[in-house]
Amino acid sequence: MRVHKLTVAALAVAAGLSLTACQNGDGGTGSSSPSPVSTASSASTSGGGSGSDSSNPGSSDQGGGKESAGKNSGGTSSGGKGTTAGTGSDKSGAVGKCRTDELEITAKDNTIDGDPDGTVAVRLKNRGGRDCAIFGYAGVDLKTSAGSLSAKRTGEQANHVVLKDGESTAFGVNYPINKSGGSGVRITGLLVTPPNETKTVTLTWPGAATLPVTDGTGSPVKVGPVGNAGQGG
């Protein structure tokens, strides 16, 4: 009986030790593992935040890109003011020159009865959709049965002219009237090159049909500056 009691006691002590060990093991695992997991989670969150800002500079660049685009918009807007570019002005406020392709060029007889010479008025109308500036003398050549005849400048002071879209200016071409009774030199056309341009337009000659025959020294045809239509206004 004593042996049996000792054995039961020994089993009870062993069971108690085993239970204590299990409780200690569960508690140890429970108390120690949540802490590292929480720490890792926290580090992961904070590392992710820092990764967005620094390890992904592309994000920052895109933000900068937006800001830059905003500045570009501002530039466009100021460029819009420079629609003064639309009005033909550059950044300095200067108005661009009138181009041949922007001008509607026509010619008409402008001779006044009793004048010793004939006059043709050449009109230049701005059709470019912007303001443009024109200054000086146009190049003028008459096509004749004897070849091309270049007009000489009168030497008058030229004025700067700014044409708004739809506005016109003019200059005069003076030529001697053929009173000789002979056939003279037949005029077949008028060539006009606006000031500071290289493109020429060909017009029908609206004046007298012929020029008197000359000795060939100098040109009998004269051209005035833009802004002066010559005789007859």
Side-chain angles (χ1 to χ4, degrees):
M1 294 294 296
R2 184 177 177 187
V3 172
H4 180 70
K5 288 181 182 179
L6 286 175
T7 302
V8 171
L11 288 174
V13 170
L17 290 174
S18 174
L19 179 61
T20 303
C22 287
Q23 288 175 347
N24 286 341
D26 290 345
T29 305
S31 63
S32 60
S33 70
S35 178
V37 168
S38 172
T39 304
S41 172
S42 171
S44 171
T45 303
S46 111
S50 124
S52 305
D53 296 338
S54 60
S55 68
N56 186 12
S59 298
S60 175
D61 290 344
Q62 288 171 0
K66 289 179 183 176
E67 182 180 351
S68 180
K71 290 179 181 175
N72 289 340
S73 289
T76 304
S77 163
S78 35
K81 293 179 185 175
T83 313
T84 325
T87 60
S89 300
D90 59 22
K91 291 181 181 178
S92 67
V95 177
K97 71 176 181 178
C98 298
R99 302 282 187 179
T100 301
D101 290 337
E102 297 174 316
L103 297 170
E104 178 186 308
I105 304 176
T106 56
K108 70 172 185 177
D109 185 13
N110 210 35
T111 304
I112 296 176
D113 289 342
D115 284 345
D117 294 328
T119 301
V120 165
V122 178
R123 187 162 299 278
L124 305 100
K125 187 171 187 176
N126 180 9
R127 291 294 195 186
R130 66 180 182 99
D131 295 357
C132 68
I134 192 165
F135 169 78
Y137 285 78
V140 172
D141 294 279
L142 269 58
K143 293 169 66 176
T144 76
S145 56
S148 181
L149 180 64
S150 295
K152 292 180 64 176
R153 296 179 178 183
T154 61
E156 297 172 77
Q157 180 69 40
N159 296 315
H160 287 273
V161 179
V162 174
L163 297 177
K164 294 186 179 298
D165 187 38
E167 289 185 345
S168 301
T169 188
F171 64 86
V173 179
N174 297 98
Y175 62 96
I177 296 174
N178 182 15
K179 299 176 181 177
S180 66
S183 59
V185 178
R186 186 167 54 89
I187 304 172
T188 60
L190 172 64
L191 304 178
V192 176
T193 307
N196 304 306
E197 277 290 89
T198 57
K199 188 171 183 178
T200 300
V201 297
T202 302
L203 306 173
T204 299
W205 174 254
T210 63
L211 296 172
V213 177
T214 64
D215 58 9
T217 57
S219 174
V221 182
K222 303 286 192 296
V223 57
V226 169
N228 183 352
Q231 294 169 316

